[in-house]
Amino acid sequence: MDLTYNPTSPITHPLPDIEKHSFRSIDYHNCDYELICEQLGSIDWDELMGLCEDDEDGSDFLSLFNLTVLQILLINAPPKPRGKTITKNKFSHHRNILNRKKKKLTARIRALNHHDPTSPIITRVQSELAAIHILIRDSINKQLEDQETKAVNTVKLNPRYFFSYAKRFAKCKDLIGPLKTASNILTKNPKEMADLLQKQYMSVFSDPKSKKKKVPTATLR
């Protein structure tokens, strides 16, 4: 491929399909910026502006400018690698639809009870609402089951996913206290418990300047 590009000279290499590419499709982390700057510096921008004779508001030159820069980038830079396609959670999408139906049915039941409490339609709408509740419950259970299956299947390949999944269900946290004071009295007072814990932690440390400090001596044999 001929990398010496000049938009005012005859094109000797196939240009990329501009309609299928954009500035966002370029991998800017792996561009050859030295070559790009060299080619941008070799362009006669005044000559390009002269090609836009009837350009009163400058829009034609702006379009030509963007096209020129884009062509140079596409020639000298690789395309951005495509990552995994992010898909919406099918369970959440389905439940959103069900929740909208539930709101409509609930509002309809409320309106019927207000205008005609004896209407036979109320029973039918309540049955539809109960069926939607069952579908929402089944959707939640199915999503939890799929997440658990995924966590178990990926425990060897991706243990972080498994432990982050399991951590969400660890809701039981141990509380501190009550603690026993020096008088063998249980206390739940936050300040008293903080003083007791501080005293306990300090007991395992020693002051290097203290005269009571005992320095172990080694016996030479």
Side-chain angles (χ1 to χ4, degrees):
M1 179 181 292
D2 184 10
L3 298 180
T4 57
Y5 175 71
N6 189 337
T8 60
S9 62
I11 298 174
T12 58
H13 58 273
L15 289 176
D17 190 350
I18 302 301
E19 295 181 356
K20 295 182 180 180
H21 296 80
S22 64
F23 287 100
R24 298 182 63 183
S25 67
I26 298 171
D27 184 6
Y28 293 99
H29 295 284
N30 297 308
C31 289
D32 189 347
Y33 285 103
E34 293 184 0
L35 186 57
I36 291 174
C37 292
E38 180 182 349
Q39 293 187 9
L40 288 173
S42 65
I43 295 176
D44 189 347
W45 298 104
D46 293 333
E47 183 179 356
L48 285 181
M49 185 175 294
L51 297 177
C52 306
E53 298 178 353
D54 300 330
D55 187 16
E56 297 180 357
D57 57 355
S59 58
D60 292 342
F61 175 72
L62 180 61
S63 299
L64 182 59
F65 174 83
N66 289 335
L67 179 62
T68 302
V69 175
L70 179 60
Q71 288 176 341
I72 292 178
L73 290 174
L74 291 174
I75 292 171
N76 299 292
K80 185 182 297 182
R82 294 186 178 182
K84 295 182 179 180
T85 303
I86 300 176
T87 57
K88 294 183 178 180
N89 189 306
K90 59 180 180 180
F91 297 104
S92 299
H93 178 68
H94 184 228
R95 282 202 300 274
N96 288 336
I97 297 175
L98 293 176
N99 284 324
R100 286 196 294 268
K101 291 182 179 180
K102 184 181 73 172
K103 290 180 180 180
K104 292 180 179 179
L105 292 176
T106 303
R108 188 177 181 187
I109 292 174
R110 191 181 300 114
L112 288 172
N113 286 327
H114 178 73
H115 296 289
D116 188 5
T118 60
S119 175
I121 302 178
I122 296 178
T123 305
R124 178 172 58 83
V125 177
Q126 287 177 341
S127 300
E128 295 179 6
L129 184 59
I132 288 181
H133 283 156
I134 294 175
L135 292 175
I136 293 175
R137 181 201 62 189
D138 293 343
S139 175
I140 294 175
N141 291 336
K142 180 61 177 175
Q143 182 178 3
L144 294 175
E145 182 181 349
D146 285 4
Q147 290 176 350
E148 182 178 355
T149 303
K150 180 181 178 182
V152 172
N153 293 337
T154 59
V155 64
K156 292 184 179 180
L157 300 177
N158 190 4
R160 290 185 62 184
Y161 177 84
F162 173 80
F163 288 110
S164 64
Y165 170 79
K167 189 177 180 181
R168 289 185 295 174
F169 299 93
K171 297 181 180 179
C172 297
K173 298 182 180 180
D174 295 334
L175 300 178
I176 299 176
L179 300 179
K180 185 180 294 186
T181 64
S183 304
N184 291 331
I185 300 176
L186 294 177
T187 177
K188 292 184 178 180
N189 185 279
K191 184 179 184 307
E192 293 180 357
M193 290 194 299
D195 292 339
L196 289 172
L197 291 174
Q198 183 181 16
K199 185 177 180 180
Q200 179 183 1
Y201 296 150
M202 291 176 63
S203 64
V204 299
F205 297 97
S206 60
D207 185 0
K209 298 181 181 179
S210 177
K211 296 181 180 180
K212 298 181 180 180
K213 179 182 178 183
K214 295 181 180 181
V215 181
T217 57
T219 303
L220 298 177
R221 294 181 180 179

